Amino acid sequence: MSERLQSLGLVPFFIRQITDTSVLEERLGRVTSVQRSRSTVVCESGERVVELSTALRQAAAIDRPVVGDWIVLDESLARIGQVLERKSLFKRLGAGSNNEIQPIAANVDILFIVTSCNEEFKESRLERYLALCAEAGAMPVIVLTKADLVDDPGTFIQRARSVKAGVAVETINALDPDALDGVRAWIDRTSTVALVGSSGVGKSTLLNSLAGKLLAATSDIREQDKKGRHTTTHRELHILPSGGLLIDVPGMRN
Ligand SMILES: Nc1nc2c(ncn2[C@@H]2O[C@H](COP(=O)(O)OP(=O)(O)OP(=O)(O)O)[C@@H](O)[C@H]2O)c(=O)[nH]1
Ligand SMILES: [Mg+2]
């Protein structure tokens, strides 16, 4: 199997779904972002921006490709013809009037539920994310950022632990790449981690620190209420130079 596909997280669960081996070389790819009807996918030959087949265009939202999906291009190499069976799917109820289930990210192994040591921290929010994570079939890790800005991060750690017995909690300064070993330990070469949480908690900051380079823009939070500015506006799957895949999910508005 090619190194490139492996570094994108290709594991036997997906390979087993491919019966024609020529597909592996040319037509298999992973969705790194979705823009309306177009998707950016990375294949053995590199990155491509592709459309959807007619059938997929007409499919329900949950069946259309989403970031993290493994897909097979049709013979034109310009359209996604098939979405492979998913290992897991992180989804939420749509905010629109039709309340359609909205898929957020596919094939996520670990969900980093990011929250910070300030007014943003709420047990009820963590409970909601933990429920979505269990439904998705992923493993949760609560990541407490901005520990450097409080005298006693211990109270926040206690509060996070009290939300669910046994849940993993990592406490960090997301701006310090040298102090992220606890978080790094969860990321291996073929695993996919999605970063979720309110706007401004430091998801993109953590992504950049883990990557050792600027992959996503970040901006400061509002001083008066500590709310973020919705800096990240679309979901994107990033490949870390040291191996492992990270999906930065923008903070939800509601
Ligand atoms: N001191 C400190 N600042 C942090 C930490 N994590 C993030 N920040 C700051 O918090 C602000 C918001 O960080 P972002 O990474 O843009 O937040 P985000 O979660 O990606 O927000 P959205 O893209 O809006 O969803 C930036 O000014 C960061 O520098 C931390 O652990 N310590
Ligand atoms: Mg961001």
Side-chain angles (χ1 to χ4, degrees), residues 19-252:
T19 42
D20 174 358
T21 52
S22 67
V23 163
L24 276 173
E25 279 142 39
E26 231 189 325
R27 289 162 49 202
L28 182 65
R30 192 157 191 203
V31 177
T32 57
S33 69
V34 175
Q35 314 84 31
R36 293 175 193 275
S37 68
R38 288 194 175 163
S39 305
T40 304
V41 300
V42 180
C43 303
E44 175 58 41
S45 56
E47 191 176 275
R48 288 170 188 273
V49 177
V50 295
E51 306 274 339
L52 298 184
S53 68
T54 312
L56 280 175
R57 260 205 318 271
Q58 291 162 353
I62 195 124
D63 297 319
R64 290 199 293 270
V66 64
V67 64
D69 262 322
W70 280 99
I71 55 88
V72 178
L73 298 176
D74 68 10
E75 271 161 17
S76 72
L77 302 182
R79 278 180 301 269
I80 297 176
Q82 185 196 351
V83 177
L84 294 191
E85 189 197 326
R86 295 160 174 155
K87 222 168 28 159
S88 65
L89 180 66
F90 182 61
K91 51 187 183 293
R92 65 166 184 244
L93 206 57
S97 53
N98 60 358
N99 263 0
E100 204 181 8
I101 299 274
Q102 213 192 329
I104 306 290
N107 302 317
V108 171
D109 301 297
I110 297 180
L111 199 66
F112 279 180
I113 302 171
V114 187
T115 183
S116 47
C117 298
N118 59 22
E119 290 96 301
E120 183 275 338
F121 186 103
K122 286 207 173 52
E123 283 83 352
S124 57
R125 190 188 341 268
L126 291 179
E127 276 162 20
R128 280 202 301 278
Y129 276 119
L130 285 166
L132 288 174
C133 182
E135 237 175 84
M139 149 107 198
V141 177
I142 296 176
V143 178
L144 261 176
T145 59
K146 312 197 186 188
D148 54 302
L149 297 181
V150 287
D151 292 333
D152 181 19
T155 10
F156 287 96
I157 300 173
Q158 283 310 320
R159 286 172 66 190
R161 291 216 171 108
S162 72
V163 174
K164 191 178 176 225
V167 69
V169 179
E170 299 292 344
T171 313
I172 59 166
N173 168 3
L175 290 165
D176 181 1
D178 296 326
L180 297 176
D181 288 351
V183 163
R184 277 187 220 276
W186 292 99
I187 308 170
D188 66 38
R189 248 171 57 75
T190 55
S191 64
T192 301
V193 177
L195 300 163
V196 297
S198 313
S199 173
V201 292
K203 300 176 297 293
S204 302
T205 304
L206 175 58
L207 165 72
N208 292 335
S209 290
L210 287 169
K213 58 181 173 185
L214 202 73
L215 290 178
T218 64
S219 57
D220 60 345
I221 57 174
R222 298 197 311 220
E223 201 33 58
Q224 66 278 24
D225 60 6
K226 307 284 190 256
K227 288 213 160 100
R229 299 176 197 271
H230 296 278
T231 311
T232 308
T233 54
H234 69 283
R235 289 165 245 149
E236 187 161 349
L237 178 125
H238 301 271
I239 306 173
L240 294 180
S242 51
L245 300 124
L246 238 55
I247 302 178
D248 190 3
V249 178
M252 300 169 190

